[in-house]
Amino acid sequence: MPTATEGSQSLQTPALPSEILMVAETQWLFTEAELLQTPSILDGLAPEKERENRSKGVNFILQVGIMLKLPQITLATASVFLHRFYMRHSMQIYHYYSMAATCLFLAYKVEECVRKMKELVVACVRVAQKDPHKNVDEQDKEYWRWRDNILQYEDLLLEAICFDLSLEPPYKTLFDLLMQFEQGDNKKLRNAAWAFVNDSCLTTLCLLFPSRTIAASALYAAAKHCDVAFPDDARGRPWWEVIDVDVGSIRRACNYMASIYESGPAKAGKESGMYERTPGNGDEREDKTRSAGVKIEDGRSSGGSNDGLASPMVVSPKGSQAGAKRGRQEEGEAETEQAPSVNGAGHEANGHAINQDGSRKRQKVKEEPSRNGFAPQPEQGPIPHRPTTAPNSEQPTDAAQPDGAAVALARDTKVEVGLESPQLEEDGSEEGEVEA
């Protein structure tokens, strides 16, 4: 049974990234008003079109990365490079497909999952021309055009992002949060949170919030979608304070993603408001992802009743499948100890019984037989002597227990079956029989 100290240790905050990474990340955070003043918008591009071109560039990175079988973190790093580049340069000058290929070229070198230059160029040509089976030869003009653009734009990209190559993608932080709350086996919650982070790469969310806030927002949105509530820690703090993230920033990030979902091409023509919004300054005690009445104290969860209403599933830090199984076993043991007997009394392990009125009464305790095979009997009067008729008859269980010398003499006496019946002594007892 975990103690309160163990319960509080299970809610320790995941390790924060280094201060250098956090300071470098804050230099690339902007406000929503500043995002409306990008070089592309100042050159006459509509904000909606600029956001659409950003998502097309990231989608190009994803398709090429899938063709090259690159890891997800590499693709996320490339998308961050692309969004940061267009905060310094205009799409009217540098096409988003060419810059997307350059960002991917730089990202897989930063993440140390290098592919050959030829493989990257061939994949870019096939994705750009929407022909995954196109035969691209090194003598083709498209091959050399893409290759020259990637090598030429690499220096421009490094200057634009100020050589800030070390990033902390939200995937790692999200994984740490899932492991902290022991929700790695919750497939529905995990997939919903992972999809939130994947979709955030298509937007400018990485320019509005730190990666840690994005990971917490993914967990927050997934918990609301899956009706999962996380309990407070031993000191009564909600889960977002435990991981050191502002709940207002989490809600604003979720609302921003909800507006992006509603304004997307797939949702065009549908009424707005189909995604639930959460006010940034809403009451924290009424948050759906928080179970304020449940606290971890001495390894147990305690909370008030729900008045018969359907409440979300509460997940404790020990709330994995093993914890749920252990909880069911403890409930079963408690029911076994309090189960009523046939006559309506609940038995205890110490031999007492509880009556209906709460009083106790003493029950007879059945003692185990002794080692020599004779069951102890209560004290009673002397048993009258009578001879034994069968030579192989066993000692009756209701006879008094003989002393050690009599038992040894009886063991040494052997009676063979099939011989003549033993002669009786003058006093009427069998020869070899031991009086009690």
Side-chain angles (χ1 to χ4, degrees):
M1 182 70 64
T3 61
T5 304
E6 296 174 352
S8 60
Q9 290 178 354
S10 63
L11 284 177
Q12 290 180 352
T13 304
L16 295 173
S18 63
E19 294 183 1
I20 298 177
L21 292 179
M22 296 178 64
V23 172
E25 189 177 25
T26 55
Q27 297 177 356
W28 290 100
L29 297 181
F30 306 90
T31 62
E32 295 186 10
E34 292 175 344
L35 291 180
L36 298 177
Q37 303 294 327
T38 60
S40 302
I41 296 177
L42 295 178
D43 287 347
L45 194 64
E48 295 79 9
K49 186 64 177 178
E50 194 252 359
R51 184 172 61 245
E52 181 181 352
N53 290 344
R54 285 176 180 268
S55 62
K56 287 182 179 180
V58 177
N59 189 38
F60 182 87
I61 293 175
L62 297 179
Q63 293 186 28
V64 176
I66 293 174
M67 190 173 294
L68 295 178
K69 298 181 180 180
L70 294 174
Q72 188 71 40
I73 295 181
T74 303
L75 305 182
T77 302
S79 64
V80 173
F81 288 162
L82 182 67
H83 288 301
R84 291 182 178 182
F85 175 82
Y86 283 117
M87 294 302 296
R88 299 287 180 88
H89 296 277
S90 175
M91 294 181 182
Q92 304 285 15
I93 303 175
Y94 304 101
H95 196 271
Y96 47 87
Y97 277 1
S98 299
M99 292 311 306
T102 307
C103 292
L104 186 60
F105 176 68
L106 181 62
Y108 71 56
K109 291 194 295 183
V110 171
E111 299 297 336
E112 299 181 355
C113 50
V114 183
R115 299 292 187 272
K116 294 183 179 179
M117 185 67 178
K118 179 180 178 180
E119 297 177 358
L120 175 63
V121 174
V122 170
C124 291
V125 172
R126 290 175 176 176
V127 173
Q129 298 186 4
K130 299 181 180 180
D131 187 1
H133 303 289
K134 181 179 177 58
N135 186 13
V136 181
D137 188 71
E138 293 184 1
Q139 304 301 326
D140 194 351
K141 294 182 179 180
E142 287 293 320
Y143 176 87
W144 287 101
R145 184 176 70 84
W146 278 92
R147 185 179 183 276
D148 293 341
N149 287 341
I150 291 174
L151 296 178
Q152 179 184 356
Y153 291 156
E154 183 182 10
D155 295 338
L156 181 64
L157 175 62
L158 289 171
E159 294 178 0
I161 63 177
C162 303
F163 292 87
D164 291 338
L165 303 179
S166 299
L167 302 178
E168 187 73 19
Y171 292 96
K172 182 179 182 302
T173 306
L174 177 60
F175 177 79
D176 293 339
L177 294 179
L178 291 174
M179 294 298 103
Q180 177 190 2
F181 294 103
E182 297 190 3
Q183 290 302 302
D185 296 334
N186 192 338
K187 186 176 181 181
K188 185 178 180 181
L189 179 69
R190 181 189 63 209
N191 291 348
W194 212 261
F196 184 96
V197 178
N198 290 340
D199 295 340
S200 68
C201 295
L202 299 171
T203 67
T204 57
L205 196 65
C206 62
L207 302 176
L208 294 171
F209 303 96
S211 61
R212 189 176 185 84
T213 303
I214 297 176
S217 303
L219 185 62
Y220 182 89
K224 291 183 62 177
H225 175 71
C226 301
D227 293 332
V228 175
F230 300 100
D232 297 349
D233 65 348
R235 292 186 290 176
R237 299 182 303 169
W239 65 271
W240 52 78
E241 291 185 5
V242 174
I243 64 177
D244 195 17
V245 180
D246 180 36
V247 66
S249 300
I250 293 176
R251 292 172 177 175
R252 285 190 286 109
C254 293
N255 294 337
Y256 179 82
M257 288 300 299
S259 62
I260 294 296
Y261 287 146
E262 292 180 351
S263 62
K267 306 301 180 184
K270 295 186 178 181
E271 58 183 24
S272 60
M274 59 185 306
Y275 291 94
E276 182 181 358
R277 301 295 203 280
T278 303
N281 55 354
D283 190 2
E284 297 181 0
R285 293 173 296 180
E286 298 179 359
D287 197 282
K288 293 183 179 180
T289 64
R290 177 190 180 187
S291 180
V294 179
K295 298 181 181 180
I296 305 303
E297 298 177 355
D298 298 334
R300 295 181 180 270
S301 299
S302 60
S305 61
N306 54 5
D307 299 333
L309 300 179
S311 60
M313 180 179 63
V314 178
V315 180
S316 64
K318 298 295 182 181
S320 60
Q321 295 179 355
K325 181 178 179 181
R326 183 170 60 252
R328 291 193 297 268
Q329 292 178 353
E330 293 176 357
E331 293 178 0
E333 293 175 1
E335 292 178 359
T336 304
E337 293 178 358
Q338 299 178 1
S341 61
V342 178
N343 56 4
H347 294 277
E348 294 182 344
N350 57 1
H352 291 78
I354 302 176
N355 295 327
Q356 297 294 340
D357 56 353
S359 61
R360 295 187 176 183
K361 64 179 182 179
R362 186 70 179 178
Q363 290 184 340
K364 295 182 179 180
V365 181
K366 183 178 180 181
E367 300 180 356
E368 298 181 356
S370 59
R371 296 183 178 179
N372 54 15
F374 293 94
Q377 297 293 335
E379 297 181 359
Q380 56 185 1
I383 302 176
H385 173 74
R386 60 184 180 86
T388 305
T389 56
N392 293 338
S393 60
E394 301 177 354
Q395 185 74 11
T397 57
D398 56 349
Q401 182 177 354
D403 55 4
V407 173
L409 182 59
R411 187 167 53 248
D412 295 337
T413 305
K414 298 182 181 179
V415 180
E416 297 183 1
V417 180
L419 301 179
E420 296 180 357
S421 58
Q423 297 179 358
L424 300 179
E425 296 290 342
E426 294 180 357
D427 57 355
S429 61
E430 284 187 356
E431 182 181 358
E433 182 179 1
V434 181
E435 294 184 359

